[in-house]
Amino acid sequence: SLSPYRRPTIGYEKDIKTLRQRLLFKDEVRSFSPISSDEILYARDIKNGFGSDLFLYSMKDNKKRLLFTTPYLISEILLTTEGIFAVARKNWENWSIYRLALSDATFTPVIDTPFNESNISFDGNMLCFAANYEKAYRIYAYNLKDKKLFRLTEGGFADYPIVDSEKNKLYFVGLT
C-alpha cells in the first residue's frame, strides 16, 4: 500500500477576500512553503528509496522544476527572514532542524540531537519547535543570533508552537 505521502496532492491558492480558489499543481507533496509571491518550494518523497525531491513551482509559468534530490527526508519547510529551515532526517536518524541552502543543496544542522525536533515556527527572532527531550514533548525556542536554547513549557505534552511576539504570547496544542 502507498504511504500517506505517496498519494496525489493538489496545491491550491485561495483569495481570502473573494474566496476564489485556483488549482496550482498536482503532485505527491509532503511539505511546502511559499518562498515568493509567485513561487512555492515543496518536497516530495523519492519514488524508490529514502529521501526527497525538492521542487520549485512557478505560479507565473504554471510549471514545476526539480531543484535537487537529497538523501534527507523532508517533513517541514519554513521560509523566514533568517533563511529557509527544514525538519528533515536521513534514514535511521531522528527528525532534526536544518538551515536549507537552495543554491548548493546543503542542509546545515541548527538543532541536531538524538531526539526528535519538529513542528517549527518562527517569531521574528527565534525558531520555535517541539522536542521530546527528557521523555516529554515540550516547546523550545532557539535564538538564531546568539545560539541559545530556551524551554518554553513545563510538564506534560506541548506541541505545534506559535509565538505572537507583539502580545508576548505562546500558543500550542496540549493534552489534558
Side-chain angles (χ1 to χ4, degrees):
S1 78
L2 293 173
S3 84
Y5 300 106
R6 293 236 169 118
R7 299 199 190 281
T9 305
I10 301 172
Y12 289 98
E13 173 186 68
K14 188 167 191 169
D15 185 312
I16 296 174
K17 289 182 183 177
T18 66
L19 301 180
R20 284 194 186 135
Q21 185 169 290
R22 168 172 85 111
L23 182 138
L24 297 176
F25 60 89
K26 294 179 183 180
D27 208 336
E28 297 170 351
V29 177
R30 180 180 280 265
S31 181
F32 73 96
S33 180
I35 61 168
S36 72
S37 62
D38 67 345
E39 292 179 313
I40 296 173
L41 180 66
Y42 74 90
R44 176 179 80 185
D45 295 2
I46 61 173
K47 297 286 184 192
N48 297 308
F50 192 90
S52 298
D53 291 325
L54 206 62
F55 288 89
L56 189 62
Y57 171 77
S58 168
M59 290 185 260
K60 190 169 92 178
D61 301 332
N62 194 29
K63 290 184 181 175
K64 68 180 179 185
R65 176 172 54 100
L66 177 64
L67 298 178
F68 57 86
T69 299
T70 177
Y72 288 91
L73 184 63
I74 301 169
S75 69
E76 299 176 51
I77 302 169
L78 180 66
L79 174 71
T80 73
T81 55
E82 299 297 318
I84 299 172
F85 293 90
V87 173
R89 69 184 184 95
K90 286 189 173 176
N91 204 8
W92 301 104
E93 293 183 4
N94 288 322
W95 297 109
S96 297
I97 302 169
Y98 297 88
R99 187 181 301 266
L100 173 58
L102 299 179
S103 59
D104 60 0
T106 56
F107 289 74
T108 304
V110 175
I111 305 284
D112 185 18
T113 72
F115 301 93
N116 284 327
E117 291 93 12
S118 62
N119 301 322
I120 55 177
S121 64
F122 185 70
D123 78 346
N125 296 308
M126 293 195 288
L127 199 57
C128 299
F129 62 96
N132 63 339
Y133 308 147
E134 302 168 344
K135 298 181 183 179
Y137 274 90
R138 296 185 178 114
I139 304 298
Y140 295 85
Y142 182 74
N143 188 308
L144 293 164
K145 293 192 184 354
D146 65 16
K147 300 185 180 352
K148 289 187 180 177
L149 181 66
F150 304 91
R151 184 174 65 210
L152 301 181
T153 61
E154 298 289 332
F157 176 90
D159 208 348
Y160 301 100
I162 300 291
V163 173
D164 182 340
S165 298
E166 289 180 19
K167 295 181 182 175
N168 204 30
K169 300 272 186 187
L170 167 65
Y171 298 94
F172 61 93
V173 173
L175 298 176
T176 58

